[in-house]
Amino acid sequence: MVEVHLVDKMTLERRHMELEIERKFLMSGFPTELPLLRCVQIEQGYVSVDPEVRIHKATNMDTGITNYRITMKGEGDLTRVEIKNSLEKEFYEEAVKLVKYPMIQKEYRAYEIGEYILEVCLVDPGTENEFYYGEVEFPSEKEANEFEPIPCLGKEVTLNANYKMKNYWLRTRADR
């Protein structure tokens, strides 16, 4: 049995709570006209959807470095509380065993769009459920509301609860 202590000095320093302010868009693919910043392979699963608690493994495709995280999200659309905390690999692997359904697979790419970062994911590639979405995070609701989407962003789905990843998880895993 692996024993992992979540609250130690290093963990406390890595804990991160903030308001997440983001707009979400359906996309037709990865943009080719924007500067690419990084590529990451992600797997994520939900320990709970109410409240939203997910675990996440991310491997940077350039460096090979893998990070593990737990994220809790509050209710909301444009703005909500988000609490992130780094995990040790052993804790993540034990937590995966608690997840009842297959993990979501994502190909993640980050792009520069002016002063913001566009995060684009291809969700569950190679399956009947695959789709692309992009998110842009903002430091304030004012900036989020003033942001003029660029053409590659496609249809905005920020206010559509069907496009929250926890609901995708329920539709494609739990409802089978």
Side-chain angles (χ1 to χ4, degrees):
M1 182 171 132
V2 176
E3 184 174 326
V4 179
H5 298 278
L6 270 179
V7 183
D8 58 20
K9 185 178 179 193
M10 290 286 290
T11 303
L12 287 173
E13 290 171 2
R14 292 180 293 201
R15 186 174 304 159
H16 192 56
M17 182 177 115
E18 62 184 36
L19 279 182
E20 175 186 62
I21 304 167
E22 69 184 7
R23 289 175 62 182
K24 189 173 200 170
F25 303 86
L26 287 183
M27 299 183 65
S28 59
F30 290 115
T32 56
E33 68 280 5
L34 298 174
L36 179 63
L37 302 173
R38 67 186 163 279
C39 296
V40 178
Q41 279 298 129
I42 295 173
E43 70 175 34
Q44 76 182 41
Y46 288 79
V47 177
S48 170
V49 292
D50 189 22
E52 185 174 338
V53 180
R54 70 180 179 207
I55 55 173
H56 174 109
K57 172 184 173 184
T59 302
N60 185 302
M61 300 312 290
D62 294 324
T63 65
I65 295 171
T66 299
N67 294 301
Y68 305 89
R69 182 172 67 212
I70 188 167
T71 303
M72 294 174 264
K73 293 192 176 201
E75 294 297 320
D77 295 313
L78 176 66
T79 303
R80 59 188 179 157
V81 171
E82 179 178 71
I83 302 168
K84 297 179 193 176
N85 200 17
S86 295
L87 297 175
E88 297 300 322
K89 178 182 179 182
E90 295 80 8
F91 184 94
Y92 175 83
E93 289 171 348
E94 289 298 313
V96 166
K97 294 175 186 176
L98 298 175
V99 175
K100 297 177 184 176
Y101 307 106
M103 303 292 274
I104 295 171
Q105 302 298 314
K106 292 183 181 180
E107 293 179 19
Y108 164 98
R109 297 182 188 174
Y111 301 88
E112 183 179 323
I113 53 169
E115 61 189 281
Y116 304 111
I117 303 297
L118 168 62
E119 299 174 314
V120 180
C121 288
L122 169 56
V123 179
D124 285 336
T127 71
E128 64 184 19
N129 298 314
E130 90 172 18
F131 73 99
Y132 290 87
Y133 74 90
E135 295 176 332
V136 181
E137 288 196 33
F138 301 91
S140 71
E141 286 186 4
K142 180 180 185 295
E143 284 186 50
N145 290 322
E146 291 174 351
F147 176 73
E148 291 293 328
I150 59 177
C152 71
L153 290 179
K155 177 183 175 185
E156 183 163 6
V157 293
T158 303
L159 303 178
N160 187 334
N162 288 323
Y163 292 99
K164 289 183 181 240
M165 286 308 296
K166 71 177 185 178
N167 293 329
Y168 171 79
W169 168 267
L170 289 172
R171 257 190 334 273
T172 62
R173 269 86 175 153
D175 288 346
R176 288 198 237 177

